[in-house]
Amino acid sequence: MPRADFYLIDKPRFRDDPLLLVCELAKRAFAAQQPTLILTRDFEQAEAIDERLWDFDEDAYVPHQLAGDDDDGNIAVLIVPPGVDTPDRPMVINLRDVCAPGRYDRVLEVVAADPAEREGSRARWTEYKKGGFEVNKHDM
């Protein structure tokens, strides 16, 4: 059964730097040897995550790049802005306002503290449940 985990940003360190949570989730996925897609809202967010993955933890290295190169299949974490097609992967970190498209074993939904974002996450939660996903919530 596929799984959807909702990470609700609540702690001050993530409220102040929401991309830190995305980087930590990508680091965990890489450590678990799970090829991962990070679906971003726009190209600017994709570039910001690309930069943040280089410096979020001085002791960690997460092989990553923006999707769209010939060697995408060899990179552990692909950062995917809208409009870029990539093959499906087992793990998806979704930052978009809609459910992650494609086939995967697990999706991680990162939800900001903003009330409007929380409302959108409720709709995605319902969609995932209807799609047969096991759904979980984590306060971060």
Side-chain angles (χ1 to χ4, degrees):
M1 168 186 284
R3 185 171 148 185
D5 290 284
F6 284 73
Y7 290 84
L8 306 178
I9 293 176
D10 193 37
K11 295 178 183 171
R13 74 184 196 130
F14 295 131
R15 279 182 186 257
D16 296 341
D17 185 4
L19 296 184
L20 177 59
L21 178 57
V22 174
C23 292
E24 289 191 9
L25 293 172
K27 180 174 116 177
R28 285 188 213 165
F30 174 63
Q33 299 180 343
Q34 288 290 311
T36 302
L37 298 176
I38 300 175
L39 304 179
T40 65
R41 292 173 189 238
D42 53 39
F43 189 75
E44 291 78 22
Q45 186 180 49
E47 287 182 318
I49 291 168
D50 182 39
E51 288 296 319
R52 193 69 177 104
L53 277 167
W54 286 111
D55 65 15
F56 81 101
D57 181 342
E58 65 184 40
D59 296 324
Y61 171 67
V62 178
H64 68 281
Q65 70 182 27
L66 294 174
D69 288 340
D70 291 338
D71 64 344
D72 282 356
N74 300 322
I75 302 298
V77 176
L78 282 180
I79 304 164
V80 186
V84 177
D85 291 327
T86 60
D88 294 336
R89 291 194 167 191
M91 176 84 72
V92 174
I93 299 172
N94 188 32
L95 305 177
R96 296 181 184 169
D97 294 329
V98 296
C99 289
R103 298 181 56 88
Y104 41 84
D105 299 327
R106 189 169 176 205
V107 61
L108 311 179
E109 289 275 341
V110 176
V111 183
D114 180 280
E117 286 213 27
R118 297 279 168 107
E119 191 58 39
S121 72
R122 289 181 184 95
R124 291 191 306 278
W125 177 289
T126 301
E127 277 191 60
Y128 286 122
K129 289 241 356 142
K130 285 181 183 175
F133 283 69
E134 174 191 336
V135 184
N136 302 288
K137 177 180 84 85
H138 309 277
D139 291 318
M140 301 301 289

